[in-house]
Amino acid sequence: MGKEDEFVPYPVKEQLPGIDYCITSPPPWHTTMLVGFQHYVIMLGTIVLIATILVPQMGGGYEEKARVIQSMLFVAGINTLLQVYFGTRLPVVIGGSFAYLIPTLSIILSRRYTYFIDPYERFIYTMRAIQGAMICASIFQLVVGYFGLWGVCIRFLSPVIAAPWVALSALGLYYIAFPALANCVEIGLPALIILVLLFMYAPYGLNSGSFIFSRCAVLVTIIIVWIYAHILTAAGAYNERPPETQYSCRTDRAGIIWGSPWVRIPYPLQWGRPYFYAGDAFAMIAASFVSLIEVTLISLILFCPYIKNSETNNSSDINCSQSTGTFIAVQRFCSATFMPPSIFSRGIGWQGIAIMLDGLVGTANGSAASVENSGFLAVTRVGSRRVIKISACFMIFFSIFAKFGAVIASIPIPLFFGIYCVLYAYAASAGIGLLQFCNINSLRNKFIIGFALIMGLSIPQFFREYFIESGYGPMHTHSRTFNDIVNVIFSSSATVGAIIAYLLDWSHCYWDDTVRKDRGLHWFYKFRSYSSDARCEEFYALPYSLSKYFPSY
């Protein structure tokens, strides 16, 4: 075998190849509109699930659920535009965050609201308390972001830490992705199979340059399976099935269309003046800390029969998608370079403003970067910033003209999770791809990465099983606030994995030059300063010459 035929290692790529339209390359307008609309549909599934979990527990009905979804969509559109224009400037969707469900449910199940006889009155008072706690939580992220504290943490980030951190953002959803699909397997499984066939095999087997297969696979999948689900519903396939099955499978049980107004603009304090309680605020601040690392997902949709209206049963189990890790995944999938720490801090600061808007408008939930939409960037190979701007416009439009948006929001949740199984896989692969920057043949690195992964999955699983058996989390003291704080943090896969990876990587031989090289720090250190690489200006500079007044360092 000649020298030219010898195998050589694949080169390290600071920017991910294979992306058709990167962050600064807008596609044609017809592509922009269709891909942007699909981003809107994907984030809608998370918003509908959050409202489905929270609003009935608060005492709200179909009309209140529709108004909450409308408010969440409206604020998500504004927050996405703010993040794209003035935050990280990445093509990231800022949507509903599952990180805040634990403290939110804790507020909802508090004894002080059990004395209300009128469900609507209970809903209003609960919503106001949640708003007050959200406003307090936003201040935490504003301080951490705009004072540069989160940038300090990012300065110590190495590829050995980032790889399990980002991967656990999606891998931590293993226990709910397919089980939620299986709540109606005859709808969820076809969605998963059709999507894989369309975007993986069809472009190569039928037409390599097909626009439908390469850009609109998710939209085509939703249309096909939604029509199929409607046929099953109309044919009476679920008439004799249990109520849980009918709710998951039928296309006429969401109640969102009936409860939505034709035209309505959400506005600040629409539910009334917020209430502030110290215990609620501290629990929400803990969730805000977790949302910096990840976005958590309560498995309430699977275990809702175990939820009781008591103060002690408020530590419902959670898992995760991610916020900081999502920024890293999006940065890879839009073919940009690694973000300087100052840009991370700027993005977290604007995420604090997003949570502030959530509290003022009254969405019953906080905001963070959407891990599902980060995976969709890889499916379409379109990482353009303009596409996300158009997607945000769709969010605002369909939140104002709510009756039209409610039609799309009535898509069965198992259909969404059939698609999410694919999107979570791509999000997890973004973390695996970061291993190229460190020496994976180092036994030290192997242990840190593997240990962070196994503990990041195992510890939250222990919390889940404990909750299922006991009805409350492992931390079960007389202080509801303390219980919420501990259970939120240690039920989060990405949080546990990131903490373990940080501790091990920065405590074991970090001073050794060989270890320093094996950790891959030199790859990330190139971007510790905003001015150290000219590409930072291209990808992350503020628009309208605002960088002159708000410089990055």
Side-chain angles (χ1 to χ4, degrees), residues 434-452:
L434 295 175
L435 295 176
Q436 66 180 304
F437 297 109
C438 62
N439 182 9
I440 197 59
N441 292 316
S442 165
L443 291 177
R444 173 193 181 276
N445 292 349
K446 285 179 178 292
F447 172 73
I448 294 174
I449 294 169
F451 190 68

Side-chain angles (χ1 to χ4, degrees), residues 34 37-38 190-191 194-195 198-199 210-227 376 415 419:
L34 279 172
F37 179 76
Q38 290 175 92
I194 291 173
L195 179 57
L198 286 181
F199 93 93
S210 173
F211 175 80
I212 295 296
F213 298 136
S214 61
R215 306 286 185 243
C216 302
V218 168
L219 186 60
V220 172
T221 300
I222 289 175
I223 292 174
I224 293 174
V225 179
W226 198 9
I227 292 174
F376 185 61
L415 196 163
I419 294 171

Side-chain angles (χ1 to χ4, degrees), residues 379-427:
V379 171
T380 60
R381 301 184 182 183
V382 176
S384 171
R385 190 183 288 140
R386 178 185 290 177
V387 170
I388 302 303
K389 295 176 184 176
I390 295 299
S391 177
C393 293
F394 277 119
M395 299 175 205
I396 296 173
F397 175 84
F398 284 111
S399 66
I400 295 175
F401 298 94
K403 191 71 76 173
F404 299 102
V407 176
I408 303 173
S410 62
I411 297 174
I413 288 178
L415 196 163
F416 279 116
F417 273 91
I419 294 171
Y420 287 173
C421 286
V422 173
L423 305 185
Y424 292 152
Y426 259 129

Side-chain angles (χ1 to χ4, degrees), residues 187 226-239 246 249-253 412:
I187 293 177
W226 198 9
I227 292 174
Y228 164 66
H230 188 71
I231 292 174
L232 290 179
T233 302
Y238 305 112
N239 289 348
Q246 293 194 35
C249 299
R250 295 182 69 98
T251 58
D252 57 357
R253 284 297 175 92

Side-chain angles (χ1 to χ4, degrees), residues 5 121 157 163 188 203 206 218 412 494:
D5 298 323
E121 186 179 7
L157 185 67
L206 299 177
V218 168

